Amino acid sequence: MLGGSISGGRTNVRVVVVGDRATGKSSLITAAASETFPEEVPPVLPPTRLPADLYPDNVPVTIIDTSSSLESRGKVAEELKRADAVVLTYACDQPSTLNRLTTFWLYEFRRLEIKVPVIVVGCKLDKRDEEHHMNLEQVMAPIMQQFREIETCIECSAANLVQVPEVFYYAQKAVLHPTAPLFDHETQALKPRCVRALKRIFILCDHDMDDALNDEELNEFQIKCFNAPLQPAEIVGVKRVVQEKLPQGVNDLGLTLTGFLFLHALFIEKGRLETTWTVLRKFGYNDEIKLKDDNLTIPFKKAPDQSLELTSEAVEFLKGVFSTFDTDKDGVLRNSELDDLFSTAPESPWGEAPYKDAVERTPLGGLSLSAFLSEWALMTLLEPAQSLANLIYIGYNCGAASALRLTRRKSVDRKKQQTDRNVYQCFVFGPKGSGKSALLKSLLGRPFSENYAVTTDEHYAVNVVDRLGGTKKTLVLREIPEDEVKMILSTKESLASCDVAVFAYDSSDEYSLKRASELLMTVARRGEVSGFMVPCLFVAAKDDLDSYPMAIKDSAKICQNFGIDAPIHISVKERDLNSIFNRIVTAAEHPHLSVPETEVGRSQKRYRHLVNRSLMFTSVVAAVAVVGLAAYRSYAARKNTSS
């Protein structure tokens, strides 16, 4: 693998030079810019620019000099926070300045949270005498072990122009081709995310899918990444190097994945990071080794009350992926199979909330096809760009337009009295102890638990609901903690993503019912004010407990006052769910029904009707007057003619 490098889209690299007084900062900068040693330099130089063509990456470097005075500390800190890389200097003839690196400067960078590569530079190499002679590698090794932010160390002489250009070359290189994302110096191995990206690239280049890159595939790879073919002798040479060091890196078919990864580790160990970065960037990766945003552009302008869903084409692709990685063909993806499936993504996307516990799992933690597709439906609903990225990571290459579909606006759905969605999001409101969490768990087929814990964070549960006629809809339940309701409803568009709202209450607790009705009022009013009205269902949970005497009458009256359906009684403990999930989906499918109205909303509605009727009456009177006037003029004209 030969050739140059690409810089990841950067147009400039900003390098800040810091260090103790009289360590040679300004002389170093002047010598780098003018290729001469300055006899006199000002205390602090203005920003200095090295031209783009000075180094192979063709990216200019802007060097910022700094003062070492105490009164300039604040300005130095500001410059450090704007830096892409830091050059930290000491004087080779002043050992105390070398000690200051670890007693002050490097700790100061950490205090300021400077997270950029550091190049440690020993200046005035020509002034070091035999008494202060040292082995740079031996001295710096323990320091670099302690301070991983140090990218490299170098000593130079501005007076003799020794290794001066190299200082800023290493600084530029550390920014454009950073080591940290690729390689772990402690383990001397490629980092997991780098391995995952290179594995995906290998698979994409293995056109005949025989788990090896043959000579033709290697050559295509070389041309794509470096714009130059490999000569037959070079291909033989590459494979020979791999085979000598790692026999399993080459087989009769060509270079294996093991060999491909070994080559990149070898490049990095030899300081040729630009080779690996060029490959990664040619395949669309950024400095975090994730696909660049411009590769994940979603070609839809989405209104707040619209959502994105997977197309049937994307779903069929996922079914094929599921079948491929279900190696034992038991209809379940075990954790190891799931890890293998996502081994070409930066990480498994479902290891953290909100996805971790959002779907039904087998006793051993595996995913059925239904649960697998449910996870994808949830990710597409909540993070469509992330869903698209992961589709691409696992091999989907047909673009966003074929992977995602934009649903119709809910305002249109209400007018048409039907919806075209396949995935419905239901907000579950209710006071503490009302049974919200138990309802979510029952959607996932989990057993009832007597252990109660107050919900403090939002939770999601998603599953497929079978409908009459054999159709399937995906239902997402989003549990809203009682203490978070005010914050969640604080924005105008807070209900835009909600297809239906459920208000759960403990049917044995009078206060729980009262609080649920207050929450219903809050949500109904927010919908009327914002225009994002949603169908609402009142759910009497814990129906296995004895209700208080007026419970049924009170709850029925609340529903009647709001103009919504009577309460749905359920008992998760007794597994009597009263078709609750089908009823939620039915409500979502008919967005014009079960929409609550408050008294304020009714008054405003009556006022609008009255205004509209008045305007209509005025229009009719005006029209009659116009018609009458026209008739009179016609009559008068005929009369004058006859006379």
Side-chain angles (χ1 to χ4, degrees):
M1 299 178 199
L2 310 171
S5 64
I6 54 176
S7 60
R10 279 188 176 267
T11 56
N12 185 64
V13 172
R14 186 182 182 88
V15 179
V16 175
V17 182
V18 298
D20 283 349
R21 183 177 175 277
T23 53
K25 300 188 294 295
S26 300
S27 296
L28 170 65
I29 297 168
T30 304
S34 65
E35 298 182 4
T36 59
F37 178 66
E39 293 299 330
E40 290 185 15
V41 290
V44 180
L45 294 169
T48 303
R49 191 174 186 272
L50 302 184
D53 59 2
L54 186 62
Y55 299 125
D57 285 294
N58 287 309
V59 176
V61 175
T62 300
I63 307 171
I64 307 298
D65 194 9
T66 59
S67 170
S68 305
S69 64
L70 283 172
E71 55 269 24
S72 299
R73 285 278 172 84
K75 191 170 190 308
V76 172
E78 288 304 311
E79 292 293 359
L80 284 169
K81 288 175 181 177
R82 297 174 59 203
D84 296 319
V86 174
V87 165
L88 175 59
T89 62
Y90 67 91
C92 292
D93 62 337
Q94 299 176 53
S96 61
T97 61
L98 177 60
N99 294 334
R100 283 266 294 168
L101 302 187
T102 54
T103 59
F104 173 73
W105 283 108
L106 291 164
Y107 284 111
E108 178 70 358
F109 296 164
R110 289 186 176 181
R111 186 185 72 80
L112 295 171
E113 298 184 347
I114 307 302
K115 300 183 186 298
V116 298
V118 175
I119 312 299
V120 172
V121 180
C123 299
K124 305 185 181 182
L125 180 60
D126 55 291
K127 290 189 175 184
R128 174 185 281 152
D129 54 34
E130 287 301 318
E131 184 184 343
H132 296 128
H133 180 73
M134 70 173 194
N135 183 309
L136 181 63
E137 189 174 340
Q138 286 181 354
V139 171
M140 291 305 303
I143 298 176
M144 292 181 73
Q145 186 76 15
Q146 183 182 357
F147 297 94
R148 295 288 182 180
E149 53 267 45
I150 299 175
E151 189 74 20
T152 192
C153 305
I154 184 173
E155 291 185 329
C156 67
S157 168
N160 297 337
L161 299 179
V162 173
Q163 295 205 119
V164 170
E166 285 84 347
V167 169
F168 297 102
Y169 168 69
Y170 286 131
Q172 185 202 61
K173 185 178 177 182
V175 175
L176 301 181
H177 314 298
T179 305
L182 302 183
F183 198 74
D184 188 330
H185 285 291
E186 206 162 298
T187 62
Q188 288 294 294
L190 296 173
K191 285 193 172 177
R193 190 175 286 185
C194 179
V195 171
R196 288 165 170 262
L198 291 173
K199 180 179 178 181
R200 173 175 172 264
I201 291 167
F202 179 89
I203 291 170
L204 289 173
C205 295
D206 181 20
H207 302 304
D208 56 12
M209 295 183 289
D210 63 354
D211 298 325
L213 298 183
N214 59 36
D215 291 0
E216 186 178 338
E217 290 165 339
L218 272 174
N219 206 32
E220 284 184 28
F221 167 81
Q222 175 74 17
I223 292 169
K224 177 180 174 66
C225 295
F226 305 106
N227 301 316
L230 280 170
Q231 298 303 315
E234 291 174 319
I235 294 176
V236 170
V238 167
K239 290 195 286 189
R240 185 170 60 247
V241 168
V242 173
Q243 200 157 28
E244 286 173 358
K245 301 279 188 181
L246 193 74
Q248 64 268 38
V250 178
N251 62 23
D252 293 341
L253 300 173
L255 186 71
T256 66
L257 174 61
T258 305
F260 186 73
L261 295 175
F262 168 79
L263 269 180
H264 284 281
L266 192 63
F267 291 140
I268 293 167
E269 285 175 12
K270 290 181 179 295
R272 289 178 55 190
L273 289 94
E274 61 274 16
T275 300
T276 299
W277 275 117
T278 298
V279 170
L280 291 169
R281 286 165 178 153
K282 280 290 186 180
F283 280 86
Y285 287 90
N286 61 19
D287 286 357
E288 295 178 337
I289 318 189
K290 291 184 175 182
L291 288 175
K292 295 176 193 170
D293 290 341
D294 53 8
N295 292 319
L296 306 174
T297 303
I298 296 174
F300 304 113
K301 189 175 180 182
K302 187 171 83 71
D305 59 346
Q306 290 178 291
S307 63
L308 287 162
E309 297 179 356
L310 292 174
T311 61
S312 56
E313 185 178 344
V315 170
E316 287 305 311
F317 166 78
L318 290 172
K319 287 178 180 178
V321 167
F322 183 94
S323 177
T324 299
F325 285 88
D326 179 17
T327 52
D328 54 7
K329 303 304 175 188
D330 62 349
V332 171
L333 285 183
R334 292 175 283 112
N335 285 331
S336 59
E337 292 170 332
L338 202 58
D339 289 343
D340 194 22
L341 189 156
F342 284 116
S343 65
T344 51
E347 54 267 318
S348 180
W350 302 332
E352 303 292 336
Y355 308 109
K356 186 177 180 181
D357 296 314
V359 298
E360 187 174 0
R361 289 186 175 264
T362 66
L364 295 177
L367 294 181
S368 66
L369 176 60
S370 176
F372 178 71
L373 294 177
S374 293
E375 284 277 34
W376 280 100
L378 179 62
M379 186 161 56
T380 307
L381 179 72
L382 301 182
E383 300 177 285
Q386 186 70 7
S387 182
L388 177 62
N390 279 288
L391 279 170
I392 295 169
Y393 287 134
I394 66 173
Y396 190 83
N397 59 4
C398 298
S402 69
L404 304 172
R405 63 177 287 266
L406 185 66
T407 62
R408 207 162 52 198
R409 294 201 62 169
K410 289 179 183 173
S411 54
V412 176
D413 286 345
R414 281 197 299 274
K415 287 177 184 176
K416 291 182 175 288
Q417 300 186 1
Q418 61 180 5
T419 177
D420 65 343
R421 301 183 181 216
N422 295 310
V423 180
Y424 298 114
Q425 182 170 198
C426 170
F427 287 14
V428 181
F429 296 94
K432 296 180 181 72
S434 59
K436 301 188 297 295
S437 298
L439 181 64
L440 265 73
K441 289 175 182 175
S442 65
L443 177 64
L444 307 181
R446 293 176 189 166
F448 175 78
S449 172
E450 295 284 0
N451 297 326
Y452 172 70
V454 177
T455 300
T456 56
D457 299 312
E458 290 184 31
H459 288 133
Y460 287 86
V462 54
N463 211 338
V464 172
V465 176
D466 293 318
R467 305 290 285 154
L468 288 173
T471 61
K472 295 179 183 292
K473 298 292 181 181
T474 301
L475 176 61
V476 175
L477 298 184
R478 175 186 175 187
E479 181 179 359
I480 311 293
E482 183 183 6
D483 296 337
E484 299 293 317
V485 171
K486 186 175 181 181
M487 186 272 291
I488 287 170
L489 297 182
S490 62
T491 63
K492 180 184 177 183
E493 296 166 353
S494 52
L495 292 174
S497 62
C498 178
D499 295 297
V500 59
V502 158
F503 298 84
Y505 65 94
D506 180 347
S507 59
S508 69
D509 185 343
E510 185 174 1
Y511 172 77
S512 185
L513 172 62
K514 180 175 179 290
R515 184 70 187 115
S517 70
E518 290 170 352
L519 291 170
L520 174 56
M521 170 67 80
T522 301
V523 171
R525 191 71 198 115
R526 167 50 65 188
E528 289 171 343
V529 170
S530 66
F532 297 116
M533 289 86 74
V534 296
C536 293
L537 298 177
F538 223 40
V539 175
K542 305 186 181 182
D543 200 42
D544 51 287
L545 301 179
D546 293 333
S547 59
Y548 70 93
M550 297 293 289
I552 295 176
K553 186 176 180 181
D554 289 349
S555 60
K557 186 176 180 181
I558 290 168
C559 292
Q560 187 177 0
N561 288 343
F562 281 101
I564 63 174
D565 292 343
I568 302 169
H569 290 261
I570 67 168
S571 170
V572 174
K573 184 176 181 179
E574 300 291 335
R575 298 190 179 183
D576 180 10
L577 296 177
N578 203 0
S579 304
I580 180 66
F581 303 123
N582 256 298
R583 292 170 81 162
I584 292 172
V585 171
T586 298
E589 287 177 333
H590 300 88
H592 61 298
L593 301 177
S594 300
V595 177
E597 279 189 311
T598 66
E599 197 54 52
V600 173
R602 288 193 190 95
S603 297
Q604 291 174 337
K605 197 174 183 180
R606 284 194 293 269
Y607 176 74
R608 286 195 298 271
H609 285 167
L610 185 62
V611 169
N612 289 339
R613 286 178 63 188
S614 299
L615 290 172
M616 185 179 293
F617 177 75
T618 303
S619 299
V620 169
V621 169
V624 169
V626 169
V627 171
L629 182 60
Y632 172 77
R633 285 176 174 171
S634 175
Y635 166 75
R638 286 198 304 272
K639 187 175 180 182
N640 289 337
T641 302
S642 60
S643 299

